[in-house]
Amino acid sequence: MILASRLRHTVRRDLFSVQKNHFFKYIFANPNISSQTEYQVTKWHNTEGGYLKPGSTLCDITTNNTSVGVMVQEGGVLAKVLVKEGDRAKSGDPIGIRVDDEADYDEFLKLSPSDYSDYAQFSKT
């Protein structure tokens, strides 16, 4: 009985966390270079608060021997750049955060970094 009660509490807390911040999604760079586990963001083509057009180039990334453009998959607004130009990231880590529109961007600006720093608990794009 105690275990079931703890489980229900944990599930509710996790669902609340996801629902509380469901208006933003993480952006991931998938360089499709299976042997590479790390890459560098060399140039951002968008700025925070700027509109993301599907099919446009979001940023350029470089691995040890290849440079590729990361394409925008879903439109919206670039709310936060998580990996700055010149910084390195591991494959599977988010490089930015996207919201659907300017109203969501205004709400995102009210968040503290701790509200979006643990990306593992939120949805990915």
Side-chain angles (χ1 to χ4, degrees):
M1 294 282 184
I2 294 173
L3 178 60
S5 176
R6 285 186 191 158
L7 179 60
R8 272 196 297 268
H9 177 69
T10 301
V11 170
R12 276 194 214 119
R13 185 180 66 227
D14 290 346
L15 289 174
F16 176 74
S17 296
V18 172
Q19 291 170 354
K20 176 181 169 189
N21 295 308
H22 73 283
F23 68 94
F24 69 83
K25 294 182 180 178
Y26 288 92
I27 301 169
F28 293 83
N30 294 321
N32 293 328
I33 304 167
S34 60
S35 63
Q36 301 299 319
T37 59
E38 192 175 81
Y39 56 88
Q40 180 180 29
V41 175
T42 52
K43 179 171 178 52
W44 279 94
H45 296 277
N46 295 82
T47 58
E48 291 179 1
Y51 180 73
L52 301 174
K53 181 180 176 187
S56 66
T57 303
L58 175 66
C59 66
D60 297 326
I61 61 172
T62 303
T63 62
N64 290 341
N65 54 5
T66 305
S67 293
V68 295
V70 176
M71 305 307 283
V72 174
Q73 301 298 316
E74 295 181 61
V77 175
L78 180 60
K80 184 73 176 169
V81 170
L82 298 175
V83 180
K84 308 288 185 209
E85 285 184 10
D87 288 350
R88 298 193 71 75
K90 293 179 182 176
S91 292
D93 286 349
I95 59 169
I97 298 175
R98 178 189 75 77
V99 295
D100 288 333
D101 53 37
E102 289 184 24
D104 285 346
Y105 180 63
D106 290 340
E107 288 300 312
F108 181 84
L109 292 176
K110 296 175 186 175
L111 298 176
S112 71
S114 63
D115 291 328
Y116 55 80
S117 61
D118 185 14
Y119 71 90
Q121 65 178 319
F122 300 107
S123 64
K124 301 177 183 181
T125 64

